[in-house]
C-alpha cells in the first residue's frame, strides 16, 4: 500500500510541475507582450505588429494548454482516473506542439530575428534598443518551452508507469478433457478414450 501511495504522490507532483512550467512560459510570453507595448510611438512597423499578433496567438493557445493541464491534474487527484488524465493530457500535448511550431515559425526563426535586427538598425533611435529588448525576450521564452516539453514527457511517463502498475494480467490454459465410457460400454468397446 505504501508503494501505491508514493506512486500516486509522484503522479500528482509531476502534473503539478507541468502547471508550474506552463506558468513560467506564460510569464515569459507576458513579458514579451509588455515589450511590444513599449515600442516607439513615432512610427508604425508591420513587423512589430505581426510579431505582437503571433505572441497574442501563442498566449491564447497556451491558455488552452493550461486548461487541459488543469483537467489532467484534477484527474490524477483522488480518485485517480487515468483515462480522463490521458484525454486531457492529449489535448495539452497537441496545444503545446502548436505553441512550439508557431514559436519556431513566427518568432524565433532566423528570418524573423534578422528582420527584427534590421528594423532596429534601419530606423535607429528608439527602435534599436527596442528591437534588442524584444529579441532578448524572445530568446528568454526558449527555456520555459524546453521545461514544458520535459514536463509533458514526465507526465506521459508517469501515466504509463501508473497504468502498468495497476494492470491485471489474465492467463488461460487448456488442460484438455477426459471422456470415460460407462462400465458397461467400456466392456463393449474394450477401451477408454482420452482426448
Amino acid at each position: 500500500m505504501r508503494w501505491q501511495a508514493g506512486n500516486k504522490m509522484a503522479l500528482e507532483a509531476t502534473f503539478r510541475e507541468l502547471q508550474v512550467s506552463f506558468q513560467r512560459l506564460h510569464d515569459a510570453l507576458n513579458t514579451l507582450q509588455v515589450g511590444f507595448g513599449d515600442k516607439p510611438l513615432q512610427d508604425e512597423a508591420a513587423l512589430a505588429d505581426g510579431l505582437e499578433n503571433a505572441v497574442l496567438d501563442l498566449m491564447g493557445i497556451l491558455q488552452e494548454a493550461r486548461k487541459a493541464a488543469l483537467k489532467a491534474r484534477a484527474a490524477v487527484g483522488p480518485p485517480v482516473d487515468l483515462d480522463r488524465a490521458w484525454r486531457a493530457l492529449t489535448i495539452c500535448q497537441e496545444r503545446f506542439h502548436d505553441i512550439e511550431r508557431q514559436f519556431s515559425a513566427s518568432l524565433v526563426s532566423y528570418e524573423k530575428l534578422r528582420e527584427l535586427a534590421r528594423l532596429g538598425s534601419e530606423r535607429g533611435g528608439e527602435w534599436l534598443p527596442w528591437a534588442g529588448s524584444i529579441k532578448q525576450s524572445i530568446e528568454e521564452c526558449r527555456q520555459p518551452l524546453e521545461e514544458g516539453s520535459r514536463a509533458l514527457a514526465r507526465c506521459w511517463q508517469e501515466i504509463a508507469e501508473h497504468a502498468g502498475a495497476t494492470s491485471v494480467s489474465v492467463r488461460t490454459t487448456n488442460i484438455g478433457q477426459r471422456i470415460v465410457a460407462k462400465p458397461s460400454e467400456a466392456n463393449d468397446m474394450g477401451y477408454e478414450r482420452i482426448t
Side-chain angles (χ1 to χ4, degrees), residues 31 83-84 134:
T31 299
D83 183 58
R84 197 170 55 130
I134 292 297

Side-chain angles (χ1 to χ4, degrees), residues 47 109-119 121 135:
L47 174 65
S109 70
Y110 174 76
E111 294 81 21
K112 294 292 182 185
L113 293 178
R114 186 181 68 205
E115 288 175 33
L116 184 61
R118 188 173 359 157
L119 175 69
S121 63
K135 181 182 181 295

Side-chain angles (χ1 to χ4, degrees), residues 1 10 33 49 53 61-63 67 70 80 82 90 92 106 112-113 122 153 159 164 170 173 180-181 189:
M1 198 62 139
Q33 176 62 34
D49 293 339
N53 288 336
I61 298 168
L62 178 59
Q63 184 59 30
K67 284 181 183 177
L70 184 62
V80 175
L82 290 181
T90 298
C92 186
S106 302
K112 294 292 182 185
L113 293 178
E122 286 178 359
I159 283 181
V170 177
T173 59
V180 180
M189 299 176 112

Side-chain angles (χ1 to χ4, degrees), residues 31-96:
T31 299
L32 180 55
Q33 176 62 34
V34 168
F36 284 109
D38 293 339
K39 73 181 174 187
L41 299 176
Q42 72 262 18
D43 274 334
E44 288 297 316
L47 174 65
D49 293 339
L51 292 173
E52 184 176 15
N53 288 336
V55 171
L56 289 172
D57 288 345
L58 285 171
M59 292 181 80
I61 298 168
L62 178 59
Q63 184 59 30
E64 293 174 17
R66 291 174 74 188
K67 284 181 183 177
L70 184 62
K71 287 180 181 179
R73 182 176 174 194
V76 298
V80 175
D81 184 347
L82 290 181
D83 183 58
R84 197 170 55 130
W86 178 82
R87 289 175 194 274
L89 195 58
T90 298
I91 292 168
C92 186
Q93 182 79 58
E94 289 169 356
R95 297 304 172 269
F96 190 78

Side-chain angles (χ1 to χ4, degrees), residues 11 13-22 24 69 89 92-93 96 143-159:
L11 187 67
T14 302
F15 279 79
R16 192 174 328 110
E17 286 176 29
L18 177 63
Q19 285 189 290
V20 169
S21 71
F22 280 2
R24 286 187 187 125
L89 195 58
C92 186
Q93 182 79 58
F96 190 78
Q143 182 66 29
L145 272 169
E146 290 172 10
E147 288 174 9
S149 181
R150 284 191 301 270
L152 274 166
R154 284 190 298 269
C155 286
W156 284 116
Q157 184 177 6
E158 283 293 328
I159 283 181

